Each structure stands twice: as C-alpha cells, then as structure tokens.
Amino acid sequence: MKRLVLAALLMAAPVQAEPLRLAAAGSLRAALSEVATAFAASPGGVPVTETYAPSGLLRQRIASGEGFDLFASANMAHPQALAETRRMPVVLFARNRLCALARPELEVTPQTLLARMLDPAIRLGTSTPRADPAGDYAFALFARAEAVRPGARAALEAKALTLTGGPDSARPPAGRDLYAWQFERGAADLFLTYCTNAVLALRADPRLQRVEVPEALAVFADYGMLLLEPRAEAARLALFILSPQGQMILDRHGFDAPGLPKER
C-alpha cells in the first residue's frame, strides 16, 4: 500500500527540474550520498541537494517551515510526528544497531563492556537524547542494563557525556570523522554509536576498537522515511531507496536493508 501511494504520486505530479531537497540523519551520509549519485544518473532522476544532521534537529527545522522534499530519519518517531499533518505514510527503509568504540589501549570485550562502562574512571560518550536518536538508543541500552545489574541505569545516565548530536555539540575539523575525532581529542574512552558509524571511525583511525554489544544489552534502530512534498521526483527517489539497487547500497554501508530478497 505504501509503495502504491508513492507510485500514484509519480503518475499525478508534474515533472519539475529543480534539484530534490533531501534531509537525512547524519549516520546516513555515506550511504545516501552514494544513493543520491546513483539516482541522479538513473532514468527520471534529478540532482539531489543533501542536508545531514541529527534527526531530531531536522524534525525541528522541518516543523518550523524549512523546505525539504524527503526526510530520512534514524528512527520512526520523528517522521511519524511530521506525518500527522501530511497524510503520508512513514516507510521503514533500513535498520541499524548500537556498537561501542573504544580507545586503542583500553582492555574491553563484549563480556566486560557493561563493567567498563560503569567504571568511574572510564569516560563514556553518547550522542544527545531527543536531538539525535543515537542518544535515545544509548539511553535505551542503559535501561536494558538495569535488568543485568540493578542500579546500572541511573549510574550510566549520570555519567554519560553527550558529546555529539546536540545543537551546540563540538564539531570536528572539515574532513575528519566525528567519532574518531572524539578519541583524538581525548573526550571519551568508550563511545556508544551506530555500528555503521563504527565502521567509518575505524577507517579513519584503525587503532580504535569496535566492541559488539552483548545480546542482553542489544538495541536496534529502525530508520523511517517520509515524503514531505508531492513531487514526482521525490517519490522516485523514495522508491529508488526502497528498490534493490538502493537497498544494496545501504547494505554495503553496513545497514540491514529490509527490502533485499532473502537468500533461500
């Protein structure tokens, strides 16, 4: 049904030459930049102007009237809040999960991750809740930790350093990876972020450690997409992201792509 709505827009909306305006979560930058390039080169495609920022801050900008054609969020809640006034469905197009990044010399494994996070000497970094879903997911992990070790939730929430994703968060120099830079400047010993961000951080600094979150603490992220304007090209871009070609790009960048056929 959701794809039929998008297809109907393709039939009804006039073709426009202006570039599409995409607002997307920062964790999607590498993947959707590749998607945008492929879409522009495809039949019926047009250039895409890309804006990447924390999803909660983008939601605020859209609600305040800033013009975008398509919103790709790192959660379902932000686009769903906007969808209430637009009569358009929110479409699940990708999934992610949390991993931990650790400074090179820190002794930590998946089995000791919770103990290391609780260690008073360890600086634990997260993104900013409400402004950035990555921060909300980190605090959801803290809630899961309560069932493993009573008192862990309050202790982790109290010590967490919200270093990224907020309107006033420090920004790295141009061309530097945001998460690798946190360790370079000595802001954190451990950092909870998306596994896709961990991949990029290790490319920037291979000395860093990626630590998988154990099953008891695991938190998964659903990514939702909302068409903001009834433009044929915007509907085409949304369908392109949902197509096997778009889903394969997301898969290559470490996302779980729900639109890919399952191996039999």
Side-chain angles (χ1 to χ4, degrees), residues 156 159 164:
L156 292 169
K159 70 173 297 188
T164 61

Side-chain angles (χ1 to χ4, degrees), residues 4-188:
L4 289 176
V5 172
L6 294 173
L9 282 171
L10 294 180
M11 300 292 293
V15 174
Q16 301 180 41
E18 295 85 0
L20 281 173
R21 301 162 298 175
L22 170 66
S27 56
L28 290 163
R29 181 187 297 271
L32 288 193
S33 289
E34 184 177 342
V35 167
T37 299
F39 172 74
S42 69
V46 298
V48 180
T49 300
E50 304 160 52
T51 298
Y52 296 99
S55 299
L57 300 184
L58 286 173
R59 170 191 169 183
Q60 293 174 10
R61 290 166 62 175
I62 295 166
S64 297
E66 189 167 347
F68 294 104
D69 298 303
L70 189 66
F71 178 33
S73 171
N75 69 2
M76 301 293 284
H78 291 314
Q80 283 172 343
L82 296 168
E84 294 177 1
T85 60
R86 286 173 166 81
R87 297 183 180 179
M88 288 296 294
V90 176
V91 180
L92 172 69
F93 70 97
R95 290 189 172 96
N96 211 337
R97 56 193 175 91
L98 284 191
C99 283
L101 279 167
R103 58 178 168 83
E105 66 278 14
L106 186 68
E107 294 185 3
V108 59
T109 67
Q111 292 72 32
T112 63
L113 179 60
L114 179 55
R116 298 302 269 160
M117 289 194 298
L118 287 166
D119 186 338
I122 296 297
R123 293 164 298 173
L124 176 62
T126 74
S127 198
T128 305
R130 293 178 293 279
D132 182 2
D136 297 316
Y137 294 129
F139 275 63
L141 185 151
F142 298 163
R144 290 181 65 84
E146 185 68 19
V148 178
R149 185 172 300 185
R153 179 176 186 174
L156 292 169
E157 289 181 352
K159 70 173 297 188
L161 305 171
T162 52
L163 299 174
T164 61
D168 302 317
S169 297
R171 298 176 181 272
R176 306 284 280 280
D177 179 81
L178 174 60
Y179 299 96
W181 182 68
Q182 303 301 330
F183 294 93
E184 181 182 332
R185 71 189 184 105

